[in-house]
Amino acid sequence: MTELTPIDWAKRPLQIYADFSGRAPRAEYWWFTLALVVAYIVISIVENIVGLDHTVGPYGFLSILLMLGTLVPSIAVGVRRLHDTNRSGWWLLIAIVPYLIFALAAGAAIASGSMMALAGATMLLGLLALVGGIALLVFMVLPGTKGENSYGPDPYAGGTAAATV
């Protein structure tokens, strides 16, 4: 597994796009993330040149297609990366749930006409989302557990137990 090139690591989540089991080492997660960032930058430049930017809110049509096309592989590699650190994939929700709660709180505040409640909910939930995002970043940066853990064999162990490309 460790002999893979950065391009192989970046392609791997697309090859096993809907696999939420097993483990993903740091190389797989971060090379895939870098490839997505580069793809978004290139697509944004192309959309800007062609005049397709801001066709769907702040995004262009091609950016939306890329987001939708990589949504499942992105979630799957995030879950597998958390599995590598011996954490449940449900930890991904730590950065999303505050926004969902905010939407409910904002709806209630708007319905009641209390803008102070909306401002308070925005600050509190924004802070929770920031803390959750930082915690998730730390989890993604941490090295995986050595040897087998409760989510599978060590991806760097080599041999037949490790996942193949």
Side-chain angles (χ1 to χ4, degrees):
M1 284 287 286
T2 57
E3 303 88 28
L4 295 177
T5 67
I7 293 173
D8 292 333
W9 282 119
K11 289 188 316 187
R12 188 164 154 60
L14 296 174
Q15 293 167 338
I16 53 173
Y17 67 95
D19 185 7
F20 292 87
S21 62
R23 296 166 59 174
R26 285 187 289 188
E28 180 179 343
Y29 179 81
W30 288 110
W31 282 114
F32 179 70
T33 300
L34 178 63
L36 279 184
V37 168
V38 169
Y40 281 119
I41 290 171
V42 169
I43 283 178
S44 295
I45 291 169
V46 168
E47 286 175 338
N48 196 359
I49 291 171
V50 177
L52 293 176
D53 55 338
H54 303 290
T55 54
V56 184
Y59 305 104
F61 182 69
L62 298 175
S63 296
I64 293 294
L65 284 177
L66 182 62
M67 281 184 215
L68 291 175
T70 58
L71 180 65
V72 172
S74 297
I75 294 170
V77 75
V79 167
R80 289 194 315 272
R81 178 71 200 117
L82 286 168
H83 286 175
D84 193 40
T85 62
N86 210 18
R87 288 179 178 80
S88 169
W90 290 105
W91 275 99
L92 278 180
L93 295 179
I94 196 172
I96 299 169
V97 168
Y99 293 108
L100 299 176
I101 295 171
F102 168 72
L104 294 173
I110 290 171
S112 71
S114 172
M115 288 299 124
M116 282 303 270
L118 180 60
T122 301
M123 290 191 313
L124 176 65
L125 293 168
L127 181 64
L128 286 174
L130 177 67
V131 169
I134 291 171
L136 205 53
L137 176 66
V138 169
F139 292 161
M140 297 301 185
V141 171
L142 288 174
T145 54
K146 299 283 186 214
E148 189 167 333
N149 69 15
S150 55
Y151 297 99
D154 188 348
Y156 286 124
T160 58
T164 58
V165 177

